[in-house]
Coordinates of all heavy atoms in Angstrom, one line a residue:
G1 N 135.3 45.7 141.0 CA 135.7 46.8 140.2 C 137.1 47.2 140.4 O 137.9 46.5 141.1
S2 N 137.5 48.3 139.9 CA 138.9 48.7 140.0 C 139.1 49.2 141.4 O 138.2 49.4 142.2 CB 139.2 49.8 139.0 OG 138.3 50.9 139.2
T3 N 140.4 49.4 141.8 CA 140.8 49.8 143.1 C 141.6 51.1 143.0 O 142.4 51.2 142.1 CB 141.6 48.8 143.8 OG1 140.8 47.6 144.0 CG2 142.0 49.2 145.2
V4 N 141.3 52.1 143.9 CA 142.1 53.3 143.9 C 142.8 53.4 145.2 O 142.3 53.0 146.2 CB 141.1 54.5 143.7 CG1 140.5 54.6 142.3 CG2 140.0 54.6 144.8
R5 N 144.0 53.9 145.1 CA 144.8 54.1 146.3 C 144.7 55.5 146.8 O 145.0 56.5 146.1 CB 146.3 53.8 146.1 CG 147.2 54.0 147.2 CD 148.5 53.3 147.1 NE 148.3 51.8 147.2 CZ 149.4 51.0 147.2 NH1 150.6 51.4 147.0 NH2 149.1 49.7 147.3
V6 N 144.1 55.7 148.0 CA 143.8 57.0 148.6 C 144.7 57.2 149.8 O 144.8 56.3 150.7 CB 142.3 57.1 148.9 CG1 142.0 58.5 149.4 CG2 141.5 56.8 147.7
A7 N 145.3 58.4 149.9 CA 146.0 58.8 151.1 C 145.3 59.8 151.9 O 144.8 60.8 151.4 CB 147.4 59.4 150.7
L8 N 145.0 59.5 153.2 CA 144.3 60.4 154.1 C 145.3 61.1 155.0 O 146.0 60.4 155.8 CB 143.3 59.7 154.9 CG 142.3 58.7 154.1 CD1 141.4 58.0 155.0 CD2 141.6 59.5 153.1
V9 N 145.5 62.4 154.9 CA 146.6 63.1 155.6 C 146.0 63.7 156.9 O 145.1 64.5 156.9 CB 147.1 64.3 154.7 CG1 148.2 65.1 155.4 CG2 147.7 63.7 153.4
Q10 N 146.6 63.3 158.0 CA 146.2 63.7 159.3 C 147.3 64.3 160.1 O 148.0 63.6 160.8 CB 145.6 62.5 160.0 CG 145.0 62.7 161.4 CD 144.4 61.5 162.0 OE1 143.5 60.9 161.4 NE2 144.9 61.0 163.2
P11 N 147.6 65.6 160.0 CA 148.7 66.2 160.6 C 148.6 66.4 162.1 O 149.6 66.6 162.8 CB 148.8 67.6 159.9 CG 147.4 67.9 159.5 CD 146.8 66.6 159.1
G12 N 147.4 66.3 162.7 CA 147.3 66.5 164.1 C 146.7 67.8 164.5 O 146.3 68.6 163.7
D13 N 146.6 68.0 165.8 CA 146.0 69.2 166.3 C 147.0 70.4 166.3 O 147.8 70.6 167.2 CB 145.6 69.0 167.8 CG 144.8 70.1 168.4 OD1 144.5 71.1 167.6 OD2 144.6 70.1 169.6
I14 N 146.9 71.2 165.2 CA 147.8 72.3 165.0 C 147.0 73.6 164.9 O 146.2 73.7 163.9 CB 148.7 72.1 163.8 CG1 149.5 70.8 163.9 CG2 149.6 73.3 163.6 CD1 150.3 70.5 162.6
E15 N 147.1 74.5 165.8 CA 146.2 75.6 165.9 C 146.5 76.7 164.8 O 145.6 77.2 164.1 CB 146.3 76.3 167.3 CG 145.3 77.4 167.4 CD 145.2 77.9 168.8 OE1 145.9 77.3 169.7 OE2 144.6 79.0 169.1
D16 N 147.8 76.9 164.5 CA 148.1 78.0 163.6 C 147.9 77.5 162.2 O 148.4 76.4 161.8 CB 149.6 78.3 163.7 CG 150.1 79.4 162.7 OD1 149.7 80.5 162.9 OD2 150.8 79.0 161.8
S17 N 147.2 78.2 161.4 CA 146.8 77.8 160.0 C 148.0 77.6 159.1 O 148.0 76.7 158.2 CB 145.7 78.7 159.4 OG 146.3 80.0 159.2
V18 N 149.0 78.5 159.2 CA 150.1 78.4 158.4 C 150.9 77.1 158.7 O 151.3 76.4 157.8 CB 151.0 79.6 158.5 CG1 152.3 79.5 157.7 CG2 150.3 80.9 158.1
A19 N 151.1 76.9 160.0 CA 151.9 75.7 160.4 C 151.1 74.4 160.0 O 151.6 73.4 159.6 CB 152.1 75.7 161.9
R20 N 149.7 74.5 160.1 CA 148.9 73.4 159.8 C 149.0 73.0 158.3 O 149.2 71.8 157.9 CB 147.4 73.7 160.1 CG 146.4 72.6 159.9 CD 145.0 73.2 160.1 NE 144.9 74.0 161.2 CZ 144.2 75.1 161.3 NH1 143.5 75.5 160.2 NH2 144.1 75.9 162.4
Q21 N 149.0 74.0 157.4 CA 149.1 73.8 156.0 C 150.5 73.2 155.7 O 150.7 72.3 154.8 CB 148.8 75.0 155.2 CG 148.9 74.8 153.7 CD 148.5 76.0 152.9 OE1 147.7 76.9 153.4 NE2 148.9 76.1 151.6
A22 N 151.5 73.8 156.3 CA 152.9 73.3 156.1 C 153.0 71.9 156.5 O 153.7 71.1 155.8 CB 153.9 74.2 156.9
A23 N 152.4 71.5 157.6 CA 152.5 70.1 158.0 C 151.8 69.2 157.0 O 152.3 68.1 156.7 CB 151.8 69.9 159.4
G24 N 150.7 69.6 156.5 CA 150.0 68.8 155.4 C 150.8 68.7 154.2 O 150.9 67.6 153.6
E25 N 151.5 69.8 153.8 CA 152.3 69.7 152.6 C 153.5 68.8 152.8 O 153.9 68.0 151.9 CB 152.8 71.1 152.2 CG 151.7 72.0 151.7 CD 152.2 73.4 151.5 OE1 153.4 73.7 151.7 OE2 151.4 74.3 151.0
A26 N 154.1 68.8 154.0 CA 155.3 68.0 154.3 C 154.9 66.5 154.3 O 155.6 65.7 153.7 CB 155.9 68.4 155.6
L27 N 153.8 66.2 154.9 CA 153.3 64.8 154.9 C 153.0 64.3 153.5 O 153.3 63.1 153.1 CB 152.1 64.6 155.8 CG 152.3 64.8 157.3 CD1 151.0 64.8 158.1 CD2 153.2 63.6 157.8
T28 N 152.4 65.2 152.7 CA 152.1 64.8 151.3 C 153.3 64.6 150.5 O 153.4 63.7 149.6 CB 151.1 65.9 150.7 OG1 150.0 66.0 151.5 CG2 150.7 65.4 149.3
E29 N 154.3 65.5 150.7 CA 155.6 65.4 149.9 C 156.2 64.0 150.1 O 156.8 63.5 149.2 CB 156.5 66.5 150.4 CG 157.7 66.7 149.5 CD 157.3 67.5 148.2 OE1 156.7 68.6 148.3 OE2 157.7 67.0 147.1
D30 N 156.1 63.5 151.3 CA 156.7 62.2 151.6 C 156.0 61.0 150.9 O 156.5 59.9 151.0 CB 156.6 61.9 153.1 CG 157.6 62.9 153.9 OD1 158.5 63.4 153.3 OD2 157.4 63.0 155.1
L31 N 154.9 61.3 150.2 CA 154.1 60.2 149.6 C 154.6 60.0 148.1 O 154.0 59.1 147.4 CB 152.6 60.6 149.5 CG 151.9 60.7 150.9 CD1 150.5 61.2 150.7 CD2 151.9 59.3 151.5
R32 N 155.6 60.7 147.7 CA 156.1 60.5 146.3 C 156.6 59.1 146.1 O 157.2 58.5 147.0 CB 157.3 61.5 146.0 CG 156.8 62.9 145.8 CD 158.0 63.8 145.5 NE 158.9 63.9 146.6 CZ 160.1 64.6 146.5 NH1 160.4 65.2 145.3 NH2 160.9 64.7 147.5
G33 N 156.2 58.5 145.0 CA 156.6 57.1 144.7 C 155.6 56.1 145.2 O 155.8 54.9 145.0
R34 N 154.5 56.5 145.9 CA 153.6 55.5 146.5 C 152.5 55.1 145.5 O 151.6 54.3 145.8 CB 152.9 56.1 147.7 CG 153.9 56.4 148.8 CD 154.4 55.2 149.5 NE 153.4 54.4 150.2 CZ 153.0 54.6 151.4 NH1 153.6 55.6 152.1 NH2 152.0 53.9 152.0
R35 N 152.5 55.6 144.2 CA 151.5 55.3 143.2 C 150.1 55.6 143.7 O 149.2 54.7 143.6 CB 151.7 53.9 142.8 CG 153.0 53.6 142.1 CD 153.1 52.1 141.6 NE 154.4 51.9 141.0 CZ 154.8 50.7 140.5 NH1 154.0 49.7 140.6 NH2 156.0 50.6 140.0
L36 N 149.8 56.8 144.1 CA 148.5 57.1 144.6 C 147.6 57.6 143.5 O 148.1 58.1 142.5 CB 148.7 58.3 145.7 CG 149.5 57.9 146.9 CD1 149.8 59.2 147.7 CD2 148.8 56.9 147.8
D37 N 146.3 57.5 143.8 CA 145.3 58.1 142.9 C 144.7 59.3 143.4 O 144.1 60.1 142.7 CB 144.2 57.0 142.6 CG 144.7 55.8 142.0 OD1 145.0 55.9 140.8 OD2 144.8 54.7 142.6
L38 N 144.7 59.5 144.8 CA 144.1 60.6 145.4 C 144.6 60.9 146.8 O 145.0 59.9 147.5 CB 142.5 60.4 145.5 CG 141.7 61.6 146.0 CD1 141.6 62.6 144.9 CD2 140.3 61.1 146.3
V39 N 144.8 62.2 147.1 CA 145.2 62.6 148.4 C 144.2 63.5 149.0 O 143.7 64.4 148.4 CB 146.6 63.3 148.4 CG1 147.0 63.8 149.8 CG2 147.7 62.4 147.8
V40 N 143.7 63.2 150.2 CA 142.6 63.9 150.9 C 143.1 64.6 152.2 O 143.7 63.8 153.0 CB 141.4 63.1 151.2 CG1 140.3 63.9 151.7 CG2 140.9 62.3 149.9
W41 N 143.0 65.9 152.3 CA 143.3 66.6 153.5 C 142.0 66.8 154.3 O 140.9 66.7 153.8 CB 144.0 67.9 153.2 CG 145.3 67.9 152.6 CD1 146.0 66.8 152.1 CD2 146.2 69.0 152.4 NE1 147.2 67.1 151.7 CE2 147.4 68.4 151.8 CE3 146.2 70.3 152.6 CZ2 148.5 69.2 151.5 CZ3 147.3 71.1 152.3 CH2 148.4 70.6 151.7

């Protein structure tokens, strides 16, 4: 069948929720140009 490119974002053990979300956003931002079909946090 077809293939989908999936990115699994693993920022690490970050206790503060605001910093945690910011880390996820920063890692995802770096994925521009990777021709992804789905990003999973």
Side-chain angles (χ1 to χ4, degrees):
S2 59
T3 299
V4 294
R5 177 163 289 184
V6 183
L8 310 179
V9 177
Q10 183 176 302
D13 185 10
I14 303 174
E15 185 174 351
D16 180 72
S17 62
V18 175
R20 188 189 311 143
Q21 181 173 339
E25 292 177 359
L27 289 171
T28 304
E29 194 76 52
D30 290 339
L31 295 171
R32 287 184 294 176
R34 298 289 295 272
R35 296 182 180 178
L36 298 169
D37 297 288
L38 187 70
V39 178
V40 183
W41 291 10

